[in-house]
Amino acid sequence: MMMIATTTTRNILLRNHLHHHRPIIHNLYSTTTTTSLSAAAESSSSSPPPPPPSLVKTALYDMHKELLGGDMVPFAGYELPVLYKGGKNGGVMKEHLWCRSEGKSSLFDVSHMGQIRWHGKDRAEFLEKIVVGDIKGLTPGSGLLSLITNAKGGIIDDTVITNAGEYIYMVVNGATKYGDMKHFREQMEDFNGDVTMEYLEDTKQLLAIQGPGASKAVANILPDGFNLQTMAFMTGTDVTLMVRGPKSNTMAIDGCRITRCGYTGEDGFEIAMPYEYALDVASTLLQDESVNPTGLGARDSLRLEAGLCLYGHDLNADTTPTMGGLAWTMGGPKSRRRLQGGFLGDNHIITKEGKLKKVAKKRVGIMGMKAPAREHTEIYDSTGESLIGQVTSGTFSPCLKKPIAMGYVETSNSKVGTEVILKIRNKMQKAYITKMPFVDSRYYRVPE
């Protein structure tokens, strides 16, 4: 296994890797670069592309495995690093703590995520029928976290949506993207308006850089005059990136997009770029010694410390926004979406007056147990006699140095401070309900 001893060594290897391993664009489904589905023009027989038959390798696969010592695992139909064994800063614990350290940032390959562009004059109107957020209210460049719901008000997926001006940019989870697009297609068939869905497939790769030093690192690939100080959290823009080529020359890469958002509770960015240039972008970022490659393991523990959900674990098609503690994605009590509804399953979530309907269970944070509580751990009331819920995510917090978990309990037991008992490895352990996030979030705010 190749060990990377110094930043200088890593930079030399990165440049050599760029020169000798230039990736070739591939398209899994067709010879075109996008898949377009139009509510007006497509027949009912057309459907989204099927998922690929085997694990997909991102543009950075060789870098992950051969250069950085990535421990590759299957995830959402892709082969991605769960952690890195090459170098002194590898491993879940070290990768996690690096992302929380002042002046540092972590680089994640999140190219498994689904990137979609929505076109047509009625695109915002259509999206407001399938998600709970205020899409019409997004000014150019602004974005939000929203939820895709089904007819029963359950959550099909969570998504980040940005008004890109001439189109609307959506990112959905990799594990659910094909199901999401099937759902979108079904809803488009019943929509009498002008809207087109453009799935970018794997022709666009996606990297996330997270941590207190993310803005400093990202500045290295942005053009002169790009003002990160005025770029607010949950905003995005199309951009030309400036990166180092295989001969250390500077290259301008068009067709890229940067969004200030993330999944760790830290400041950070998601950067989309053409497949053939992903290696150049990643290599340029990693030449900054404050940037550390980081795998899925640390990504999961970071998001749990931040109190963020993982779809398929903390959220599913039977979970409503209120159950999941995500009713805020609809806006406040007097907001247009709360008062008017208009999205799929709204009658199961809000009353005609815009009030939240009562739910039997709620997502909560849990602390106080002596051992980590994993998914499906049973939660009992303080007497240990009544089963009131179960854990959906749990780990040992690298920052707090104690176990943390989130899960669902009966609403009557969801108040912060409520004592509960967890059945961990057949032993009953005392715990209590706590607020989330477990670690204070540090999302960027534009200086006043």
Side-chain angles (χ1 to χ4, degrees), residues 383-394:
T383 69
E385 297 179 356
S386 297
L387 180 65
I388 60 172
Q390 70 172 355
V391 170
T392 53
S393 290

Side-chain angles (χ1 to χ4, degrees), residues 42-74:
E42 295 292 326
S43 68
S44 59
S45 62
S46 61
S47 61
S54 59
L55 293 177
V56 180
K57 293 178 173 63
T58 72
L60 303 185
Y61 177 84
D62 288 341
M63 174 186 283
H64 293 316
K65 188 171 183 178
E66 298 177 13
L67 186 62
L68 301 175
D71 186 357
M72 310 301 285
V73 299

Side-chain angles (χ1 to χ4, degrees), residues 29 34-38 46-52 78 112-118 126 130 148 156-157 159 170-189 196-202:
Y29 311 113
T34 59
T35 300
S36 296
L37 299 174
S38 170
S46 61
S47 61
Y78 288 71
H112 63 291
M113 305 287 278
Q115 300 181 68
I116 297 170
R117 291 173 181 166
W118 292 95
F126 172 75
I130 61 172
I148 304 163
I156 294 176
D157 201 2
T159 176
M170 170 187 276
V171 178
V172 297
N173 283 302
T176 56
K177 61 185 179 182
Y178 296 107
D180 290 349
M181 288 188 288
K182 180 177 182 294
H183 172 73
F184 298 156
R185 183 65 184 90
E186 292 169 352
Q187 297 305 309
M188 291 169 74
E189 290 176 356
T196 302
M197 179 176 73
E198 179 191 8
Y199 172 44
L200 302 183
E201 303 183 17
D202 290 305

Side-chain angles (χ1 to χ4, degrees), residues 348-402:
H348 292 276
I349 303 169
I350 52 178
T351 67
K352 293 181 179 179
E353 296 75 32
K355 295 181 179 179
L356 299 177
K357 289 192 172 182
K358 293 182 179 180
V359 293
K361 60 182 180 179
K362 288 186 177 180
R363 182 173 63 95
V364 296
I366 307 167
M367 291 182 70
M369 52 282 191
K370 295 180 179 179
R374 304 304 183 186
E375 187 175 9
H376 304 306
T377 295
E378 294 177 344
I379 307 173
Y380 291 81
D381 67 5
S382 59
T383 69
E385 297 179 356
S386 297
L387 180 65
I388 60 172
Q390 70 172 355
V391 170
T392 53
S393 290
T395 192
F396 181 85
S397 165
C399 289
L400 301 178
K401 303 191 184 311
K402 61 182 67 174

Side-chain angles (χ1 to χ4, degrees), residues 200-220:
L200 302 183
E201 303 183 17
D202 290 305
T203 61
K204 289 285 187 182
Q205 299 287 277
L206 191 65
L207 304 179
I209 184 163
Q210 299 281 296
S215 60
K216 174 182 173 294
V218 166
N220 293 329

